[in-house]
Amino acid sequence: MSAIKSRLAIGLTGFPLVVLAIINGGWIFNMLIITCGLIAFREFLSLKSKNDNFLVWLLFGCFYVLGSLFCLLVLRDIDQNLGSYFTLLIFAGVSINDSFSYIFGKWIGGKKIAPSISPKKTYAGLIGGLLGTIFYVLIFNHYFFELNFRDMCVFIFILNIVGFFGDIFESSLKRRVKIKDSSRLLLGHGGMLDRLDSLILTTPVTLFYVIAYYL
């Protein structure tokens, strides 16, 4: 199965299930996040190089992976109390941004952004992700949850720019130990950590924003 077909197959099956879990919340959502977090944490530990101190790497992983996904649980609780949909906004937004970036980067190609860290990341992909994110945020604002102009600008920035750096950072961790994917768990998608890399960084930033302006 080609990379595109495998990504499409996993996306079409996994995405709706996760969206349903986010909307319903409760123990199913909590167990999903905990399970995915533990798998991603295990993959993160495998990225330790021989020169890294294990205790330092372990603590960093707790903060980087588990701490960030804990923020996702907190964000979902805030949604429950406020009747908001920030968890859905950020999860679906990261997926859509990633899809548009992949499509534009694959079809257009062009100059690489950081070839030594992430060889497939291009400026065309970054612009494609931005266009997809703008469209998504406008649709979300119109049909799901009303956002003000500041919200829309902030979330477009978070999903496109913060998410990009989350992806690049995880890629840099893999390049240190000279591997392409954190695991082969999700076929063409790589490992769980590969799928959560942008979410790991965008979630705490989103949580801080929501706490600052909505609580």
Side-chain angles (χ1 to χ4, degrees):
M1 184 182 293
S2 68
I4 294 179
K5 289 181 179 179
S6 62
R7 288 172 69 97
L8 184 61
I10 293 176
L12 290 177
T13 54
F15 183 82
L17 293 176
V18 176
V19 167
L20 185 61
I22 292 173
I23 293 174
N24 289 332
W27 69 269
I28 294 179
F29 173 76
N30 293 342
M31 287 302 299
L32 176 66
I33 297 305
I34 291 171
T35 301
C36 291
L38 291 176
I39 294 173
F41 182 65
R42 181 179 179 181
E43 292 176 352
F44 171 83
L45 293 180
S46 70
L47 301 181
K48 186 185 86 67
S49 73
K50 62 181 181 180
N51 296 322
D52 294 323
N53 180 280
F54 177 75
L55 181 58
V56 173
W57 192 254
L58 181 68
L59 293 175
F60 176 58
C62 289
F63 175 78
Y64 170 60
V65 180
L66 300 182
S68 178
L69 294 180
F70 174 75
C71 290
L72 196 60
L73 298 177
V74 175
L75 186 63
R76 182 62 185 84
D77 284 341
I78 291 176
D79 281 338
Q80 182 70 31
N81 294 327
L82 296 181
S84 54
Y85 291 91
F86 294 115
T87 309
L88 178 61
L89 171 63
I90 202 69
F91 168 78
V94 164
S95 299
I96 290 171
N97 179 272
D98 180 68
S99 297
F100 272 81
S101 296
Y102 180 81
I103 292 170
F104 274 69
K106 192 76 173 178
W107 287 354
I108 299 176
K111 188 175 181 180
K112 312 291 185 181
I113 299 177
S116 62
I117 299 176
S118 186
K120 295 183 179 180
K121 295 294 181 185
T122 65
Y123 287 98
L126 186 63
I127 294 173
L130 174 61
L131 295 176
T133 299
I134 292 173
F135 178 75
Y136 162 73
V137 169
L138 292 175
I139 293 296
F140 194 93
N141 171 68
H142 186 75
Y143 290 103
F144 293 97
F145 182 68
E146 185 176 352
L147 304 168
N148 58 44
F149 182 73
R150 180 197 63 214
D151 290 338
M152 288 190 283
C153 291
V154 167
F155 283 115
I156 288 170
F157 175 81
I158 290 175
L159 292 170
N160 197 60
I161 304 303
V162 177
F164 168 77
F165 280 107
D167 192 329
I168 286 292
F169 180 72
E170 193 258 352
S171 294
S172 70
L173 297 180
K174 292 184 294 185
R175 294 299 173 265
R176 294 169 66 250
V177 290
K178 296 180 173 58
I179 63 173
K180 180 179 180 294
D181 297 320
S182 59
S183 78
R184 297 181 180 179
L185 178 66
L186 302 175
L187 302 177
H189 283 265
M192 186 63 69
L193 188 62
D194 295 319
R195 289 303 89 213
L196 297 178
D197 52 7
S198 295
L199 197 65
I200 285 173
L201 197 57
T202 55
T203 295
V205 175
T206 299
L207 179 61
F208 294 151
Y209 175 77
V210 171
I211 290 174
Y213 288 97
Y214 283 88
L215 295 182

